[in-house]
């Protein structure tokens, strides 16, 4: 996945354009720019690549989720349904708005189970956020139809899945609002950065204003711009956007490489008795950022994870035992360890997390291994790695 592995002359050239004119900010200073608008150019390129009407760059993927939800009006008293398996950014972005995260079970796609979503809907539910974990996707048609039936905003966190698609549509472009991260370890990186994409002009305009102190961006004098509503500062800098502009032009090459490496490893391990691959919904094409598979039970998953790390197969995650991506170890969330006072509704919802029955999610995450696919590998390295992974898995399952 990490685009930083491919950092080179193209990235340096774009950054140097910005350093040469000295305009590190994305808005204003027109006469000093020598025609360089890195953030605007990257937004244009993202819209083209992701086949969406609008893209709004922001300072991080976490900011992208908050800005997307805010632009759809999510705030205090609203519930947002999200999966138990995701990056911590999902609940952080919801909590930041004063809204209530409602964590529901995943299925074998490794994201939201549409049935679990339906069961969690209350009169306070405002949005459903699918998180396209590890380069794949949820059952998008089923999730969309639940959202339509209940008049909910459908949000798609595609931070780990840029380059994948569902029925020909790029992941991130399918729901009402899509979110991307360009942090240092994502498939394409800005160093830090993110984007909100949408085909809804109203959401776009709100994202644009909200991420820059509510500025309406009309005219050429920031001091005279009006503020139709309150905003914050989630701006990206020109330096970060410059890196992303070089990377987005190479995205096709990055994704093709990930996908071909994914295929090599899948061919090596998918036929092993006892191994099942993660479910990819019909019409789905993976981005190849990770390869995910299930072992028969928790013990064999732990044994394979241990053998992988002892025998040099790095960057394979058993998220059940990891503090990063799964509800089981999110003690700070379960205990509401917040620096500031949370709304009573939010605290109450979080207090249920320690005792909620997430055995359906456990069933998948306990048995899942998720292995990062690196862009810097050579094909020969991938072949060797795939063979070694297969022999380790076979040895454990024998
Ligand atoms: C990386 C990531 C984010 C947040 O991105 P940052 O840019 O690091 O804030 C959000 N969601 C998912 C699924 C991610 O992987």
């Amino acid at each position: 996945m990490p685009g930083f592995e491919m950092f080179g002359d193209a990235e340096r050239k774009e950054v140097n354009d910005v350093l040469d004119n000295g305009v590190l900010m994305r808005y204003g200073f027109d006469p000093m720019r020598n025609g360089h608008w890195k953030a605007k150019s990257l937004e244009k390129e993202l819209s083209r690549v992701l086949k969406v009407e609008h893209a709004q760059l922001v300072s991080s993927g976490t900011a992208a989720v908050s800005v997307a939800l805010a632009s759809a009006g999510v705030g205090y008293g609203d519930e947002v349904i999200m999966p138990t398996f995701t990056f911590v950014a999902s609940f952080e972005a919801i909590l930041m708005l004063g809204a209530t995260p409602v964590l529901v079970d995943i299925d074998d796609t490794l994201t939201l189970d549409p049935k679990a979503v339906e069961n969690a809907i209350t009169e306070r539910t405002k949005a459903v956020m699918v998180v396209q974990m590890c380069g794949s996707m949820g059952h998008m048609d089923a999730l969309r139809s639940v959202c339509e039936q209940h008049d909910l905003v459908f949000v798609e966190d595609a931070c780990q899945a840029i380059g994948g698609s569902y029925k020909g549509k790029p992941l991130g472009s399918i729901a009402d609002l899509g979110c991307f991260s360009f942090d240092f370890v994502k498939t394409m990186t800005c160093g830090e950065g993110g984007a909100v994409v949408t085909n809804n002009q109203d959401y776009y305009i709100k994202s644009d204003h909200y991420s820059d102190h509510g500025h309406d961006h009309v005219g050429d004098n920031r001091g005279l711009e009006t503020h139709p509503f309150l905003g914050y500062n989630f701006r990206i800098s020109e330096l970060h956007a410059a890196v992303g502009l070089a990377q987005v032009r190479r995205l096709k090459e990055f994704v093709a490489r990930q996908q071909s490496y994914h295929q090599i490893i899948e061919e090596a391990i998918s036929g092993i008795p006892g191994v099942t691959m993660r479910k990819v919904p019909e019409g789905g094409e993976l981005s190849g950022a990770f390869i995910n598979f299930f072992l028969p039970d928790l013990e064999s998953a732990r044994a394979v994870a241990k053998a992988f790390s002892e025998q040099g197969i790095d960057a394979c995650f058993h998220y059940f035992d990891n503090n990063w991506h799964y509800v089981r170890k999110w003690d700070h969330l379960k205990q509401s360890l917040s620096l500031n006072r949370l709304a009573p509704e939010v605290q109450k919802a979080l207090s249920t997390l320690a005792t909620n029955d997430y055995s359906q999610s456990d069933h998948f995450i306990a048995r899942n291994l998720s292995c990062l696919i690196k862009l810097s590998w050579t094909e020969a390295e991938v072949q060797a790695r795939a063979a070694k992974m297969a022999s380790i898995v076979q040895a454990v399952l024998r």
Side-chain angles (χ1 to χ4, degrees), residues 51-107:
K51 303 181 190 161
V52 285
E53 298 279 320
H54 310 285
Q56 175 66 42
L57 282 171
V58 291
S59 50
S60 71
T62 312
V65 179
S66 279
V67 171
L69 292 170
S71 75
V74 172
Y76 174 67
D78 296 328
E79 294 176 355
V80 179
I81 293 177
M82 56 165 274
T84 53
F85 174 56
T86 179
F87 183 45
V88 289
S90 303
F91 58 76
E92 291 167 356
I94 296 166
L95 291 172
M96 208 208 70
L97 300 171
T100 306
V102 175
L103 277 64
V104 310
D105 273 324
I106 59 161
D107 60 22

Side-chain angles (χ1 to χ4, degrees), residues 211-231:
S211 58
D212 184 24
H213 304 293
H215 275 262
D216 66 4
H217 299 143
V218 174
D220 58 4
N221 184 337
R222 263 179 91 74
L224 295 179
E225 287 178 17
T226 66
H227 305 90
F229 47 81
L230 296 169

Side-chain angles (χ1 to χ4, degrees), residues 34 65 142 346 349:
N34 300 320
V65 179
V346 174

Side-chain angles (χ1 to χ4, degrees), residues 60-62 86-87 89 131 133 157 159-160 181 183 186 193:
S60 71
T62 312
T86 179
F87 183 45
V131 183
M133 284 300 279
D157 175 342
C159 291
Q160 293 190 7
S181 165
D183 77 20
K186 296 305 201 286

